[in-house]
Amino acid sequence: MASPSSRFRLRLRHRHHPSSFPLQIILLLSVVSGLLASLPISADGLPPELGGDDGLYREILRDETVLRLMELGKISDGEGYLERTFLSPASIRATAVIIGWMKDAGLTTRWVDQMGNIHGRFEPENSTKEALLIGSHMDTVIDAGMYDGSLGIICAISALKVLKVTGKLQRLTRPVEVIAFSDEEGVRFQTTFLGSAAVAGTLPESILQVSDKSGTTVQDVLKMNSFEATATSISQARYSPESVGSYVEVHIEQGPVLEALHYPLGVVKGIAGQTRLKVIVDGSQGHAGTVPMKLRRDPMVAAAELVVTLEHLCKEPNKFLTYDEECGCFTEESLAGLVCTVGELLTWPSASNVIPGQVNFTVDIRAMDDQVRETIVTSFSRLVLQRCDDRLVDCRVEHKHSAAATHCDPELTSQLKRAARSTVSAMPGRRAAAGEAPVLMSGAGHDAMAMAKLTKIGMLFVRCRGGISHSPEESVLEDDVWAAGLALLNFIDGSPVPVEPEVDRRQNAVAES
C-alpha cells in the first residue's frame, strides 16, 4: 500500500499540470511531509537507542540520513532512472519534501526564493553575528546517482536536527542556514550555478532569455512555477556580503583519492580553474576509395594527432611548456592536478566511405594553478597551428569558457580538518591513530565556486566507491555518511565528539588488521 504522503502527491499530480506546481502547493506538501518526518524525540536529549549515550547519534546521522537519501533519489522525472533538473516537476516535488525535513530539524524560517532555491534558517535570540550558510544542490544530471548534491543538503539538515533534539540549537551564537540550490549541474539550460550565482549576486539579467532544447526560456519556466521572473525578482535572491560569515559544503569526492587512502573524509583546499575550448579542423572532403593517401588533406587524422598531443602535453608538461625567463619553471606542486580531456568529437559528413570535410572536438583543461592552466592553453593552441600546418589542414581554436581557480579559506579548512580528524578517531572500528584528514583539491566544479564571490568558503569531501560519480553506480558507505554528518555537527557545534576509549580502539585496530 502506498504511504499517505505518496497517495497525497499522486492526487495532486492528477489535478495539476505536471510542468507547474505553484508555491502554495509546495508549502502545503511541506507541512504534510514535515509531519510524517517528525520523530517523537524529546528536546532535552536523545535516548540511548538513538545514539545519544555516546555522542555519535547514529540513528539520525546515519540511518535516517541514508533513508532520506534513498527517498530523494526516487523523486525523478525519468522512469527507472534519476533525473531532476532545474524547476522540473520532480524538482518541485523534492522541494516539498526538503522543506518538511527542514521543519523537522527545527529550522524556524523556511522559504523558496525567486530562483527556486530552498532555504531553512535558525536564528538565535539576540544574535547579530553573520550567518553560517551550509548548502549543496538538489538538481542532478541525467541517469544520476543519489549522493551528488543531495548528500550535502541532507547531512546539514541531520546535523541541525541533532542540535535540536539535544537542546543545543538554542545555544548557537550565530544564525545557521541550510540552502538547497536549484541548479548546479546546468543540464537543462547548459549554464551552471543558476541557484548559487543568484544568491551570490552574480547571475546576469540575460539569463532569463536562455532557452533549453525545447525552446523554453528560464523566464518561461520561472513563470510556470509562479515566480515573478524579472531582473528585480532575481536580484531579491542576492545576499549582502555583510550578512554572511562563511559558506560550507559537504560533497562526495567524485574521485578515487580518499578510497585509495582508506580515509572516509577529506578537506578541500581549492577548486580547479577550468578552460573549455572547441577545436575546428577543416580539410578536403573526398571519396574514401579514390583519393590517394599522399594527396589527402584529412582532418580526422589531424584531429587524432591533436588529441594525442594534448594528452602528452598534460601528462608531461615540462617537456612542452615555454617558460617566462623570470619564472624559469613551474613547481611540481603547481602542476599537480593538471588534467585535460577531449569529451566530444564530431565529424562531417560522418559517413564510412567519405573522407571527412570537417572535424571538431572539445577540450577541457583544469588546474589548481591558473598560470599553469593558461600556459597549457597557450601552448596547446600553438601546437594546434603547428600540427595543422604540417598536415596542410586549416585549424582554429575557439575559447568557450574560462573560470579561475577558487581557494578555500585557510581557517575554515583548519576547522574542518580538526572536525574530520576528531570524528574519524571517534567512529567505531577505527584505528587508534586515525591520522590527519587528507587535504585535496577538487577537479570538479561546485556551488562553493559561485559562493566564493560572496563570502569565504570551506568544503568537506566524502569518500565514494571507485571515485564514480554522475552515474547510478555512485555509492557511499553508510558509515561514511555517518562520519560526514558527525564531522559537520562537530564543526557547527564547535566542540569535539567523544573519542572511543583507548582500549577499545586498540581492540578495533586488531580486529581490522
Side-chain angles (χ1 to χ4, degrees), residues 115-174:
M115 278 302 290
N117 300 310
I118 312 167
H119 303 253
R121 186 178 177 101
F122 179 79
E123 192 96 32
E125 292 184 13
N126 303 318
S127 172
T128 59
K129 291 194 173 184
E130 301 161 327
L132 165 64
L133 307 182
I134 311 171
S136 197
H137 58 99
M138 61 182 289
D139 68 315
T140 74
V141 297
I142 298 171
D143 197 21
M146 68 179 185
Y147 298 94
D148 184 356
S150 297
L151 178 65
I153 297 167
I154 300 173
C155 272
I157 292 172
S158 297
L160 289 169
K161 179 173 179 176
V162 170
L163 291 177
K164 170 196 169 187
V165 299
T166 55
K168 294 181 179 180
L169 193 59
Q170 299 291 339
R171 302 177 197 169
L172 295 178
T173 58
R174 59 181 170 178

Side-chain angles (χ1 to χ4, degrees), residues 51 55 139 163 190 196 220 296 356 429 441 451 456 472 486:
D139 68 315
L163 291 177
Q190 298 297 299
S196 48
D220 295 335
R296 296 187 178 195
M441 65 159 283
M451 294 299 285
K456 58 187 181 183
L486 192 57

Side-chain angles (χ1 to χ4, degrees), residues 357-406:
Q358 185 183 88
V359 175
N360 62 67
F361 60 91
T362 61
V363 173
D364 184 308
I365 299 173
R366 305 189 189 204
M368 198 63 235
D369 187 306
D370 285 329
Q371 187 179 0
V372 167
R373 176 174 50 84
E374 291 163 5
T375 304
I376 291 291
V377 170
T378 301
S379 298
F380 178 65
S381 299
R382 175 175 50 81
L383 289 167
V384 166
L385 296 180
Q386 291 177 358
R387 301 289 191 269
C388 289
D389 281 346
D390 293 342
R391 289 193 170 273
L392 302 177
V393 295
D394 298 317
C395 293
R396 64 185 186 274
V397 179
E398 297 179 355
H399 288 243
K400 292 297 184 180
H401 170 75
S402 185
T406 302

